[in-house]
């Protein structure tokens, strides 16, 4: 079927090849004379997904045309729009992107200024993020505040936005919200971008929030040259603003919307799919669909009942070892999935005990390491002298005898004169507000940063980064302040990796070299968008949450903790929440290609007390005839003996190789 130039919704079930739909449509659009490849834009949610899509496009689109197709995340597209046209909203091209820590610091400062009780700035940040995702302005947020906590966050919201604007900065949510404002408030900019985006393709549409929906709607306009691919059964991000009903809104906004269903699954066997279909059939649906597979029925999913969490971990690892010995598989063929990160500890202990390599998704992200945040804060300050959060992080890192009192007085001086902290530090009048030595230290720092910023803009930005590290003595400071020589070596290696990454970015497929501001903005986004650890590397068992597993697939999957209060989660106190938890279980089931095993415990320790576990209601919703419950299956004496021998042989083989 060929459908090119009117609105199209592709309902793509798990494992039905949705990414292939988008990439082949890009190839079709760019093969016709009437569509310039440079006017085709595709957006998704993570950098990993965008990279995969770009790689596939590169294999399908010939020659130079492949380089002009725009494949990015929502937030990267928004950043590009603000770089080009953000001056209409008061931003310079070198605006900064505040990370979560920067935002929390700013909110805490503002709460102090406004005398508001805000003991947990991160809670206010989440509230504000939700309002931005729903396009709710500060005034609306104040009017709709239902409790004291919401009222405090709403009072901070307006002041927070003003402060960000004063710092020439945005937060992560602004990268979608601000472009929507740009298109709605400036008709000439809207005309420009609609002319540029001749066809827009959106992946994982069920995960869009209201702001992302609005951005798509503004960009495509009445022409409606739009293709979206999604699956309401895999919408598992309501907690961060996703609105699966956005799929239904399309029909109202685009009356000529064409709907195509993809129901053949190319990933899993028949019994796994029947379990998934039966489970998700208990949810309400906008459109009915049923996955099917031509891969045969396959093995029945198993259910293992364990004594407690330690027994569960030991049983899973024993099953894995036996299976691996029996089938000569790789460690990376196995995934252990769970609802919450805390569940990983027992599995990690059991895997370490048997010297089995494993990889846990969701460890400390590279860009969250303190040494990386230090260097990036320096670079942010070089490209944006209004970035007060960056100034505060590095003005005394390494130590420059610029203490908290001096910084506080500098802040008061800057607010009084409406200057950034960097500009205030080099203002001659500062000497009248601070003691002589403190003023000189701040002035020396400010002049040094200003000189480096000027050199970076005029000359080689990477050479200036090296100069920054040398002048500041940062490497020596890292060595002196690390707990051990090994820790220092690791931290310095991280800094070197960042420099090498910057060098690659400077020349990464660009016809011109990227500016330092462009590189800093690009790296700032990486930490926020790469929320799934790449599982395609080492030969290791994969441990991850069900949320992190979305988009991945494994031959053999264990879904653990199939108990009430774990899956569904204990906070699921409404029918709507149960619906999403069921979708989460569905996502887990459809990660399995060949074999699927569920585990649960008879008792589990919670808050220091042993509590009897109740099997998850979702187990009762699976087709009973397709499940093999441990204790309900009948094995012959020969089969039991054979299984025991295989397990022992596997253990001996592993021990002999250790």
């Amino acid at each position: 079927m060929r459908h090119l130039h009117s609105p199209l919704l592709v309902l793509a079930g798990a494992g039905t090849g949705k990414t292939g739909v988008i990439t082949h449509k890009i190839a079709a659009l760019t093969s016709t004379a009437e569509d310039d490849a440079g006017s085709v834009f595709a957006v998704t949610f993570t950098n990993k997904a965008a990279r995969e899509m770009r790689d596939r496009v590169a294999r399908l689109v010939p020659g130079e045309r492949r380089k002009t197709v725009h494949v990015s995340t929502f937030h990267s597209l928004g950043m590009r729009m603000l770089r080009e046209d953000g001056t209409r909203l008061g931003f310079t091209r070198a605006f900064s992107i505040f990370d979560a820590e920067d935002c929390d610091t700013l909110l805490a400062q503002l709460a102090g200024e406004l005398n508001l009780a805000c003991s947990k700035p991160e809670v206010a940040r989440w509230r504000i993020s939700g309002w931005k995702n729903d396009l709710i302005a500060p005034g609306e947020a104040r009017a709709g505040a239902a409790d004291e906590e919401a009222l405090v966050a709403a009072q901070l919201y307006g002041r927070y936005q003003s402060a960000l604007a004063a710092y020439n900065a945005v937060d992560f949510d602004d990268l979608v919200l601000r472009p929507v404002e740009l298109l709605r408030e400036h008709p000439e900019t809207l005309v420009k971008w609609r002319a540029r985006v001749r066809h827009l393709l959106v992946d994982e549409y069920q995960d869009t929030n209201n702001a992302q929906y609005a951005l798509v709607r503004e960009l495509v306009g009445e022409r409606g040259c739009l293709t979206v691919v999604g699956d309401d059964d895999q919408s598992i991000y309501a907690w961060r603003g996703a609105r699966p009903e956005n799929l239904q809104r399309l029909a109202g906004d685009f009356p000529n919307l064409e709907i195509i269903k993809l129901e053949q699954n190319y990933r899993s066997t028949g019994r796994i799919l029947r379990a998934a279909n039966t489970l998700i059939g208990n949810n309400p649906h906008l459109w009915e669909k049923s996955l099917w597979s031509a891969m045969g029925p396959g093995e029945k999913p198993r259910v293992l009942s364990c004594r407690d969490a330690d027994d569960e971990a030991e049983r899973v690892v024993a099953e894995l070892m036996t299976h691996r010995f029996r089938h000569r598989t790789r460690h990376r063929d196995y995934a252990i999935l769970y609802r919450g990160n805390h569940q990983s500890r027992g599995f990690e202990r059991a895997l370490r005990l048997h010297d089995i390599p494993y990889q846990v998704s969701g460890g400390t992200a590279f860009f969250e390491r303190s040494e990386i945040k230090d260097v990036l804060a320096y670079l942010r300050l070089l490209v944006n002298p209004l970035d007060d959060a960056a100034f505060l992080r590095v003005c005394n890192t390494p130590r420059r005898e610029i203490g908290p009192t001096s910084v506080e007085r500098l802040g008061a001086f800057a607010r009084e004169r409406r200057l950034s902290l960097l500009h205030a530090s080099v203002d001659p009048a500062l000497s009248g507000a601070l003691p002589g030595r403190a003023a000189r230290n701040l002035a020396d720092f400010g002049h040094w940063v200003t000189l480096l910023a000027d050199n970076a803009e005029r000359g080689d930005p990477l050479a200036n980064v090296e100069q920054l590290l040398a002048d500041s003595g940062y490497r020596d400071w890292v060595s002196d302040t690390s707990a051990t020589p090994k820790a220092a070596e690791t931290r310095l290696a991280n800094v070197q990796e960042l420099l090498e990454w910057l060098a690659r970015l400077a020349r990464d497929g660009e016809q011109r070299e990227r500016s330092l501001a462009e590189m800093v903005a690009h790296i700032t986004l990486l930490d926020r968008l790469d929320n799934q650890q790449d599982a395609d590397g080492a030969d290791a068992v994969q441990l991850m949450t069900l949320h992190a597993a979305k988009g991945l697939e494994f031959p053999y999957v264990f879904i653990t903790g199939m108990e009430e209060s774990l899956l569904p989660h204990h906070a699921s106190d409404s029918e709507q929440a149960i619906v999403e938890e069921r979708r989460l279980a569905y996502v887990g089931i459809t990660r399995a290609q060949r074999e699927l095993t569920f585990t649960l415990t008879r008792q589990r320790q919670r808050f220091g007390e042993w509590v009897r576990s109740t099997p998850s209601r979702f187990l009762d919703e699976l087709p009973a005839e397709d499940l093999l419950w441990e204790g309900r299956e009948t094995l012959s004496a020969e089969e039991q003996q054979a299984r025991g021998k295989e397990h022992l042989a596997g253990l001996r083989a592993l021990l002999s190789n250790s």
Side-chain angles (χ1 to χ4, degrees), residues 19 45 105 108 115 172 180 221 224 332 341 372 387 392 398 453 539 604 617 636:
T19 304
F45 284 85
T105 299
N115 292 317
F172 192 63
V180 172
R332 62 189 291 185
N341 278 309
I372 301 304
D387 193 335
L392 291 171
D539 183 23
R604 195 176 290 270
R617 70 190 73 183
S636 68

Side-chain angles (χ1 to χ4, degrees), residues 478-479 482-492:
V478 167
S479 296
S482 296
T484 65
K486 181 65 175 176
E489 181 182 338
T490 300
R491 295 177 67 195
L492 291 173

Side-chain angles (χ1 to χ4, degrees), residues 131-177:
W131 287 323
K132 289 186 177 186
N133 289 338
D134 281 334
L135 300 174
I136 296 174
E140 295 176 85
R142 282 195 300 273
D147 52 51
E148 187 64 28
E149 189 179 80
L151 181 59
V152 168
Q155 290 173 306
L156 285 171
Y157 183 11
R159 183 74 183 83
Y160 170 74
Q161 287 300 89
S162 298
L164 285 175
Y167 297 158
N168 190 36
V170 296
D171 64 18
F172 192 63
D173 300 304
D174 282 330
L175 291 173
V176 177
L177 174 66

